Amino acid sequence: MMWPGIVISSLIQLAVLAAIPFFYHLIRRKKWQGFLRYIGWYQPTKKAMWAATAIALLVGGMFLVMLVAVPSLKQEMLSPDTATGKLIQNLNVRGFSVDLFLSLAIIAWIQTALAEEIFFRGFLAKGLIRRFGFSVGNVLQALFFGLLHGGLLLAVSGQSVASWMVLFIVLMPAVCGWLIGWNNEKAGGGSILPGWWAHGLGNTAAYLMFLFMV
């Protein structure tokens, strides 16, 4: 079974990325109360949730078009060192199973979407927006988000990855990060829950595309 190990690794990643804003908040406010409000963990507007769904569908559609139009994109992204690559390897060995889809859901919604939204939109974006204003702050957090994904790709793929692929993996998450940040702050009243919803849906769609297109 894959999912118990994935649960552990997901919780570790979530704890690490949540600990940074938590201790920053604790040091500044001298108390832990109000932390969830500080990172934007509260009820959003219905408008923001619908917009988050639209963002996920838009990005998922763009990603599907890219996968069909550029076959080498799929090959580049299925490195056995990545979470997606490991899922595909498991699919090839065991076939579809409840364990496989449970593992996919944990990775999509907890290990990546929740952990990254807490850190990037709940902590980094809000701090940058307070310091530089919304326009500059939202662009900066989106760029950092994209650069993280590009750096992770280089880390697992080494120097063999094509430069266009690195650029794509930087720009695609950066655009998504900007859209999510805009929706959270402008339509969601600062809540990160619309971002988590959009991020989780987008991840799930991407993983399913890979699983059904191998």
Side-chain angles (χ1 to χ4, degrees), residues 137-173:
N138 197 41
V139 168
L140 288 176
Q141 67 84 14
L143 287 175
F144 285 131
F145 188 58
L147 289 172
L148 170 70
H149 285 76
L152 290 174
L153 177 67
L154 289 174
V156 300
S157 302
Q159 299 299 318
S160 59
V161 64
S163 57
W164 69 266
M165 179 64 180
V166 177
L167 182 61
F168 175 80
I169 294 301
V170 170
L171 291 179
M172 190 75 170

Side-chain angles (χ1 to χ4, degrees), residues 43-62:
Q43 184 71 30
T45 63
K46 291 182 179 180
K47 177 182 176 182
M49 296 302 293
W50 281 112
T53 304
I55 290 170
L57 291 174
L58 173 64
V59 174
M62 291 170 54

Side-chain angles (χ1 to χ4, degrees), residues 35 73 114 163 176:
F35 171 69
L73 174 63
L114 181 57
S163 57
C176 294

